[in-house]
Structures are given as structure tokens and as C-alpha cells.
Amino acid sequence: MRADAQRNLNAILTAARESFAAGGLEVGVADIAKRAGVGTATVFRRFATKDDLICAVCEQSVAEMAERVAAAEAADDPWEGLRECMRAAIEMQVTDRGLCEALSRGIEAYPAVREAHDALVARLAVLVRRAQEEGHLRADLEPIDLPIVLNAVARAGAELEPIAPGAWRRYFQMLLDALRPGAPPLEVPAPTREQVDAAFAGEQGAR
Amino acid sequence: MRADAQRNLNAILTAARESFAAGGLEVGVADIAKRAGVGTATVFRRFATKDDLICAVCEQSVAEMAERVAAAEAADDPWEGLRECMRAAIEMQVTDRGLCEALSRGIEAYPAVREAHDALVARLAVLVRRAQEEGHLRADLEPIDLPIVLNAVARAGAELEPIAPGAWRRYFQMLLDALRPGAPPLEVPAPTREQVDAAFAGEQGAR
DNA sequence: CGCTAACCGGATCGCCCAGTCCGGTTCGTG
DNA sequence: CACGAACCGGACTGGGCGATCCGGTTAGCG
């Protein structure tokens, strides 16, 4: 790989990240190319499809989240670590429209992102179980619930952000209240792995 | 207005409602026209713009919600009525992708819808205050919070619906837990009318 | 029944955007 | 320094969709 090609690749990834963060996933490839200082053909040379580019950017963000989870696992106070993780996950999505939108599609996303996300949930599960044992989290919360509710809060927050900056913290606090132990048990089971897998297999290639 | 014109108008509204409900707001006008059994020109003769059509359909749905709120106000047990209202609001959005998407844009929607929505929130406020006085609802909940959190739950539920039907009830139950009294007070204020108005004035005509 | 104004609908326009093509440019090696 | 392979980028294509145009049709009044 020639040096200029590598440079362009980095520029494209950075530009895409910034563009998606600011304008959501519907920003045009031409805009991204312009921001990166290259032509559209150069973008498509590295990423056969716009979706591939989205995927690459998302993987970075999900990896970043995974790092935060790992840090929480090692923290002195794991419950505090988990809370901070959740807060960071929402904040990341609120300040990155593209990530927020991508995670909304979440379930049906690309294999690579999906894999990274699964790994992240698996790590989360450890923290969740520990928090439940220590009585910080309601016992009927499943790890799979977390990405769902965090994305829900983030989406509401993201829309509010331009008109009421920081309002997402209000709804994050409500979310924490919902997760506290002591409430009557949930009457509906969480989505299962099988359901998610079936949906994924079914709509491979949609959109 | 000629009889056939009236008939077509009804057909268009019905078709639009069904199409938007099933496929979201991004379904093409051509699809709607075909379902209504008319040409696209006929659609645009009644609704100058696709947005106008969306607006008309939404108004109907919001009016329907308002009726439910009115019913709750008159119910024997107002708290039970409010709960049922919230449940119905989520269910309506989960089973109507178009409505769900339209309410997500909510704040910046069209004047007519916005007006109907404001009226609905004003009515809700009565129920909220009463529920708070009776100790069913946390005291720091503002009426404006309700459409926000209800839409958030509905959106998550709508995405889950095809793969885990009814899963939204799980998150609705969590929401109710978050709204219960007894939690430490919220540290961030709710969005204000002024913020909403400013945003609305600012981006009139966007999209 | 006949006539006209109202109405209809498919073909068409203009625009946007993902993705492709090809003539020109640059890297980096010998 | 020279040369070829790798790389570049802007012009172009194709398809989709909102919106418009216009020749044909129909309602419903007199």
C-alpha cells in the first residue's frame, strides 16, 4: 500500500466519522470525500459500498465502547463503573448522530459490527450479574436489555440536544431509577438470542 | 366538491395511513396512489406536498390520542386512566411506524400537528398533576416529559416488534418503574416551552 | 339527454445520490 | 533520474422519487 493511499484512507475514515457524527448516516458520500480532500472514486476504492464505510466507522466506535466496559470491569467499584459505562454510552451516541442511528438498526447490522457488539454485551453481562448480586440492579434485568434501553434514551436525547443541551441526563437518571431493585418483576421476557439471530438471518441484505 | 373527488380523498387518506403504518414515512407517493387506486397527480391535487399528506394523517392519529386522554380524565380511577393512556400511546406507535417516526420529529413538526399535540399535552398535564397529588407519580415529572419518554419506548419497541412481538411491554413496565415516586429528585430540568418554541421558529422549513 | 366545468391519471421533468469509468498524476524502486 | 505500476479525481451513468403537465374522462346540472 502506497503512502499516499494510506494517508487518504485515514483522511476518509476521519472525515466519515466527523460527517456522520454531525449529519447522521444520510450525509452523501460526496460530502465525505470533499471533507477528506479526495474524490468519490477514492472513497469507493477503499469501501466498495457506502454501507461498508459506515460499518468501518461503527466498528471503531463499538471498539471504543468495549474499552470502556473493560475499564469498568477493572474499576474499584464495579457498580460505579457500570453506571459510568452507561452514561458514556449514551453520551457517545448523543454527540454522534451516525453512531446513534447505526445502533438503532443494531440488530440487523453488518456481521463485523454485530460480532463486536455481541462481544461487548457478553462483557457487559459480567458487570450486570455482579451488580445484581450486590443489589444495585434489579434482578430481572437481562444484559441484552441494556443496549436497547441505552439506545432509546440516547435517541431521545439526541433529538433534544440541539434545543435543550444536556437534557439526556434527565432521562438517563430516570433510566437508572427504572433499573433499581425493588420493583415488581417484569412480566415480559427479554428478547432472546434466537429471536435476534432469526431476524438477522432473515433480512441479510435488506436496505 | 364532486362526489368522486370526495371518494378519492378518503381513499387516499386511508391508503396513506395504511402505507405509512406498515412501511414508515419513506414509502413513496406512487405506492400510496396505487393502493388508493388513483394516479399520483390526484394525490398531489389534494395535498400540495408529501409532507402535507403526512401532516393530515398525523393529525388524525393525534386526535385519536387526545380522545383517549379525555376518556382517561373522565375515568373512575384517573391514575389507572393515565396508565392506560400511556400504554395505548405506545401501542399505537408500535403498530404504526409512520406515526412513530412522525412523533420522533415531533418538536419540529407542522403547525397543525404541533398545535394538536400541544393541546394534548395540556390535557395530559391535568392527569399528571392529579396522579402526583395522589402519590402515584414522582413529583418532579413534568407533563412535557411524557411524550418524550413514551416515544422513546415506542421506538425501541417498534424496532423489536418484528423479531420479538410484544417486547415493548417489558420496557413500558420499566418506564412505569422509573415514574414511580420515591426516587431522588431529577437533577436536570425538563425542556421548556421556550426552548421548544425557539427550535421551532429556528428551523421552520427545514428538511 | 347533452354539455361544460371539474376531475382524472399516466407520462414526464428535475433533482439527488450511490456507484463506475477513464485519462491524468504520483510514488518509489532500480 | 527514469519508468511503470499504483493511485487519483472529476465527469458520467442509472435508478428512485417528489412534483408537474396535459390529453382524455366523468359527474351532474339544466
Side-chain angles (χ1 to χ4, degrees):
Chain A
M1 183 129 158
R2 248 165 60 173
D4 53 346
Q6 181 67 54
R7 227 181 309 127
N8 281 339
L9 177 57
N10 294 342
I12 290 168
L13 276 172
T14 305
R17 200 186 179 77
E18 292 171 357
S19 295
F20 287 144
L25 298 181
E26 72 281 5
V27 296
V29 175
D31 293 0
I32 295 171
K34 176 173 282 185
R35 183 189 283 247
V38 303
T40 60
T42 303
V43 175
F44 284 109
R45 202 166 295 121
R46 296 300 159 212
F47 304 94
T49 265
K50 181 182 179 182
D51 279 354
D52 288 346
L53 176 55
I54 293 175
C55 179
V57 171
C58 281
E59 265 185 293
Q60 290 188 350
S61 299
V62 173
E64 193 179 317
M65 282 190 184
E67 275 174 40
R68 288 173 188 266
V69 175
E73 242 168 309
D76 291 346
D77 181 345
W79 164 239
E80 185 55 42
L82 178 54
R83 268 192 26 164
E84 168 56 20
C85 254
M86 296 194 284
R87 197 202 60 74
I90 294 177
E91 188 172 35
M92 279 181 69
Q93 293 180 58
V94 166
T95 57
D96 185 337
R97 278 184 55 187
L99 178 62
C100 187
E101 288 174 22
L103 293 184
S104 301
R105 307 179 174 179
I107 316 298
E108 74 239 39
Y110 312 90
V113 174
R114 179 181 153 75
E115 208 171 307
H117 193 263
D118 281 358
L120 190 153
V121 172
R123 276 182 162 271
L124 256 183
V126 179
L127 282 170
V128 167
R129 295 304 174 209
R130 187 153 47 172
Q132 286 170 330
E133 277 161 25
E134 292 175 4
H136 295 295
L137 258 189
R138 63 191 302 164
D140 48 6
L141 186 85
E142 297 291 335
I144 190 70
D145 289 322
L146 278 187
I148 294 171
V149 297
L150 291 175
N151 181 250
V153 172
R155 273 202 279 180
E159 250 143 45
L160 253 24
E161 196 60 8
I163 70 173
W168 62 269
R169 291 171 210 272
R170 178 175 178 89
Y171 303 104
F172 174 51
Q173 197 177 340
M174 285 192 196
L175 173 62
L176 289 177
D177 293 334
L179 301 186
R180 245 184 268 285
L186 295 166
E187 290 164 9
V188 181
T192 64
R193 256 319 279 259
E194 288 70 34
Q195 289 174 318
V196 173
D197 286 343
F200 183 69
E203 57 185 70
Q204 256 303 52
R207 184 173 359 262
Chain B
M1 183 131 161
R2 246 166 59 171
D4 54 345
Q6 181 65 54
R7 227 180 311 127
N8 281 340
L9 178 56
N10 293 342
I12 290 168
L13 276 172
T14 305
R17 201 186 179 76
E18 293 171 356
S19 296
F20 287 144
L25 297 181
E26 73 281 4
V27 295
V29 176
D31 293 0
I32 295 171
K34 176 172 284 186
R35 181 189 284 248
V38 303
T40 62
T42 303
V43 174
F44 284 109
R45 201 166 295 122
R46 297 299 159 213
F47 303 95
T49 265
K50 181 183 178 180
D51 278 355
D52 289 345
L53 176 56
I54 293 174
C55 178
V57 171
C58 281
E59 264 184 292
Q60 289 186 350
S61 300
V62 173
E64 193 179 319
M65 281 191 184
E67 275 174 41
R68 288 174 188 267
V69 174
E73 242 167 309
D76 292 346
D77 181 344
W79 164 238
E80 184 54 41
L82 178 55
R83 267 192 26 165
E84 168 55 20
C85 255
M86 295 195 284
R87 198 201 59 76
I90 295 177
E91 189 172 34
M92 278 180 68
Q93 293 180 58
V94 167
T95 57
D96 185 336
R97 278 185 55 187
L99 178 62
C100 187
E101 288 173 23
L103 293 183
S104 301
R105 310 180 172 177
I107 316 297
E108 73 239 38
Y110 312 90
V113 173
R114 179 182 153 77
E115 208 171 305
H117 193 263
D118 281 357
L120 190 153
V121 171
R123 276 181 161 271
L124 256 183
V126 179
L127 282 170
V128 168
R129 294 305 174 210
R130 189 153 43 171
Q132 286 170 329
E133 277 162 24
E134 293 175 4
H136 295 295
L137 258 189
R138 63 191 302 164
D140 48 6
L141 185 85
E142 297 291 335
I144 190 71
D145 289 322
L146 278 188
I148 294 171
V149 296
L150 291 174
N151 181 251
V153 172
R155 272 201 280 180
E159 250 144 44
L160 253 24
E161 196 61 7
I163 70 173
W168 62 268
R169 292 171 210 273
R170 178 176 178 88
Y171 302 104
F172 174 50
Q173 197 177 341
M174 284 193 197
L175 172 61
L176 289 177
D177 293 334
L179 300 186
R180 244 184 269 284
L186 294 166
E187 289 164 9
V188 181
T192 65
R193 257 319 280 259
E194 290 68 35
Q195 288 173 318
V196 174
D197 287 343
F200 183 69
E203 57 185 70
Q204 256 303 51
R207 184 176 355 263

